[in-house]
Amino acid sequence: RVVVVVIVVDTRTMFARVKPLVVRASAFPRHRAHARASRIRAASSPQSPPPAPNVRELASARTAEDPYPRLSDGKIALKGMRRDDIANWLEGIGEKRSRTDAIVGAMYKHERRGGLTSRVADSTDFFGDKFRARLDEVASFDGDLVLDDVKLASDGTRKVTYKLQNEGGGVVESVIIPSLQEAGRTTVCVSSQLGCAMNCQFCYTAKMGLRKNLSAAQIVEQVVHARRMVGSDEVSNVVFMGMGEPLHNLDEVLTAVDILLDNKGMAFSRNKVTVSTSGLVPQMERFLQESEASLAVSLNATTDLIRNWIMPINRKYNLEELLGLLRREFPRKTLGRHQRQVFFEYIMLEGVNDSDEDAERLVEIAAGLPCKINLIYFNTHEGSEFKCSDQARIQAFRQKVVDGGVMCTIRQSRGDDDMAACGQLGSPGDKPAPPRMRDPRTRATM
């Protein structure tokens, strides 16, 4: 009997301790609470911050594991935090949660009032002297990136390189792509990793292998820098199609996307932020559950034989698994018309994936799946064994897909004269490149 009484007391105590965390999660919108719980269960990024403790305990728990992201100089990385996290942090250090709007405004808004500032000390329009001095001592608006170089292509595309300030350094690249038709429609192509582990055979970045994940602050800073360079009103779209596989750095990418979509912050439309993946199926499922951004899938082949060769990730998650997930998840019924469809990217490789039979299979893949297909010119690079399909073949391929009742467009190549185009980013250096895959069609004839 004594033992039973002790167990009951301990159980009640356990629930009493857990209760503050449950209350805290309920403060978020329903889907945000689910997202936060998922992040606590699975941290795919080595640089992602651990789950935040109860804010009431922060003042006395500063010797515990730090719950917030930090820069290389040890300061709190405010650009790597969602609005709610900033508010919780402020409360934890004894400041008013209401100061969150001013911090977010100084980092991302009010350009004419001196916003988009990179230093807390320069934010005189937003904070009083006392708070600004205290904030500058412990936190930073910096993104751990230093502008290295800007190269301008003949079509106006800019390849921007940044030096990473955190451990190990490195140089990461971003691309700013202006519209050729109208003002106010500039796209920023951001990188989420230094290098990439996916080893797609047609991609120059893949020759680097994976060097490190970028933090959410480093991802967001690429967009902020672009806005500084061309103007906030000019930048309309963000695509996660630069260096790296975004869903291989999922925690940091989810955080960065939330920051971009914050209506009181950077205020991008969910229809204007697109995350591309090579096909990491479990991470795709989590992304679709937790994020409102658009999803693009780099498909590039209509058979497992070819996709296993040019995209080795297919050996782990084949076309059946990939397309099965997409058919379960699309259309996304609660996020508006634009979000009802998935975007397929299809790089045109001569003699590899550009036959009439491939076009027919592509129509079969699209059957019953709300989608739009973008045909992409292959942008060559040194050492590549692939060639781009010629213009006539690409046009004929597109027409066959369209005749099959599928929406299909040809994406104009941009920045390819200065290695700023799709698949051309990065610098492998002198480190050994990942292994090249042999053409399975060649093996079959040997």
Side-chain angles (χ1 to χ4, degrees):
R1 291 178 181 177
V2 174
V3 173
V4 171
V5 171
V6 171
I7 291 173
V8 170
V9 171
D10 283 350
T11 304
R12 290 175 179 174
T13 303
M14 177 184 69
F15 281 114
R17 290 175 181 169
V18 171
K19 188 175 180 181
L21 291 177
V22 175
V23 171
R24 182 182 176 195
S26 66
F28 293 90
R30 191 171 184 180
H31 70 282
R32 295 286 188 239
H34 172 75
R36 181 59 54 88
S38 297
R39 291 187 185 98
I40 291 174
R41 288 195 302 269
S44 63
S45 165
Q47 295 185 7
S48 59
N54 190 324
V55 293
R56 296 176 182 175
E57 301 172 359
L58 278 178
S60 60
R62 297 310 299 169
T63 57
E65 188 178 9
D66 197 341
Y68 299 110
R70 291 184 178 270
L71 301 172
S72 54
D73 62 6
K75 290 185 177 182
I76 292 293
L78 292 170
K79 270 202 178 92
M81 297 163 67
R82 299 176 178 86
R83 170 180 293 274
D84 289 334
D85 293 328
I86 294 174
N88 292 338
W89 174 74
L90 285 170
E91 184 177 7
I93 64 172
E95 294 289 349
K96 297 178 181 179
R97 296 175 67 91
S98 58
R99 291 189 183 275
T100 302
D101 286 344
I103 290 176
V104 171
M107 289 192 292
Y108 306 129
K109 296 177 73 69
H110 308 299
E111 190 171 8
R112 292 184 182 89
R113 291 183 53 208
L116 297 180
T117 179
S118 60
R119 300 199 318 146
V120 173
D122 294 335
S123 55
T124 55
D125 286 350
F126 296 89
F127 314 118
D129 293 344
K130 184 176 179 180
F131 176 73
R132 189 173 70 253
R134 187 186 184 199
L135 186 65
D136 191 31
E137 185 179 344
V138 297
S140 175
F141 292 166
D142 190 55
D144 256 358
L145 295 179
V146 174
L147 183 63
D148 179 51
D149 191 23
V150 180
K151 293 183 178 179
L152 184 64
S154 59
D155 62 3
T157 298
R158 306 184 205 193
K159 181 165 78 170
V160 187
T161 57
Y162 301 97
K163 291 182 179 179
L164 304 179
Q165 293 294 96
N166 54 351
E167 184 178 356
V171 176
V172 70
E173 300 179 0
S174 181
V175 183
I176 303 173
I177 310 167
S179 170
L180 296 178
Q181 281 77 39
E182 57 185 291
R185 288 194 60 186
T186 292
T187 297
V188 183
C189 178
V190 299
S191 294
S192 56
Q193 296 178 309
L194 177 60
C196 185
M198 297 301 104
N199 197 22
C200 295
Q201 299 295 285
F202 49 80
C203 182
Y204 190 62
T205 308
K207 294 185 176 183
M208 295 178 64
L210 178 61
R211 309 286 174 87
K212 67 167 68 172
N213 285 331
L214 301 191
S215 67
Q218 289 170 328
I219 296 170
V220 171
E221 184 76 343
Q222 295 172 59
V223 183
V224 173
H225 260 292
R227 280 187 162 180
R228 290 196 192 110
M229 293 176 70
V230 302
S232 294
D233 294 338
E234 182 66 26
V235 177
S236 60
N237 296 59
V238 178
V239 293
F240 285 69
M241 299 179 184
M243 297 169 67
E245 161 58 63
L247 300 193
H248 196 209
N249 186 19
L250 184 54
D251 288 321
E252 300 301 303
V253 166
L254 285 171
T255 299
V257 168
D258 283 350
I259 293 168
L260 296 175
L261 299 186
D262 182 357
N263 287 331
K264 295 182 179 180
M266 302 200 79
F268 282 94
S269 164
R270 65 192 179 197
N271 299 334
K272 302 296 185 181
V273 176
T274 303
V275 176
S276 175
T277 179
S278 60
L280 279 69
V281 171
Q283 290 86 345
M284 288 169 61
E285 185 171 16
R286 182 181 159 200
F287 173 84
L288 291 169
Q289 291 172 351
E290 299 182 21
S291 180
E292 296 183 352
S294 300
L295 179 69
V297 176
S298 189
L299 187 63
N300 304 321
T302 60
T303 67
D304 283 327
L305 179 71
I306 297 300
R307 203 166 191 268
N308 285 347
W309 166 34
I310 64 175
M311 300 185 70
I313 189 63
N314 197 74
R315 301 180 183 194
K316 187 169 185 179
Y317 305 114
N318 63 20
L319 284 171
E320 182 180 1
E321 289 185 75
L322 175 64
L323 298 173
L325 170 69
L326 295 176
R327 290 196 170 96
R328 290 193 302 271
E329 295 292 336
F330 285 88
R332 301 173 78 183
K333 298 179 181 178
T334 62
L335 297 178
R337 180 178 60 84
H338 183 84
Q339 294 282 357
R340 291 179 64 83
Q341 60 186 1
V342 61
F343 298 90
F344 282 126
E345 299 162 313
Y346 197 93
I347 295 177
M348 299 297 293
L349 303 173
E350 183 181 78
V352 175
N353 63 358
D354 63 350
S355 67
D356 285 348
E357 291 76 17
D358 283 306
E360 292 167 359
R361 285 191 290 264
L362 200 53
V363 171
E364 293 176 5
I365 286 173
L369 177 61
C371 65
K372 177 181 178 181
I373 298 170
N374 289 320
L375 304 183
I376 302 173
Y377 291 94
F378 171 66
N379 298 300
T380 190
H381 50 79
E382 184 180 353
S384 175
E385 67 265 43
F386 299 104
K387 294 181 179 180
C388 183
S389 307
D390 63 38
Q391 188 67 31
R393 177 87 290 261
I394 295 175
Q395 292 288 352
F397 189 95
R398 174 190 175 275
Q399 192 59 52
K400 199 165 189 65
V401 174
V402 170
D403 289 345
V406 180
M407 186 182 301
C408 183
T409 61
I410 300 173
R411 184 190 296 174
Q412 186 172 3
S413 184
R414 301 291 303 277
D416 54 324
D417 60 338
D418 204 9
M419 288 293 286
C422 178
Q424 290 184 323
L425 302 185
S427 178
D430 55 2
K431 293 188 177 182
R436 304 300 293 171
M437 304 292 108
R438 290 183 60 185
D439 184 341
R441 301 168 301 177
T442 302
R443 291 203 303 268
T445 60
M446 292 178 64

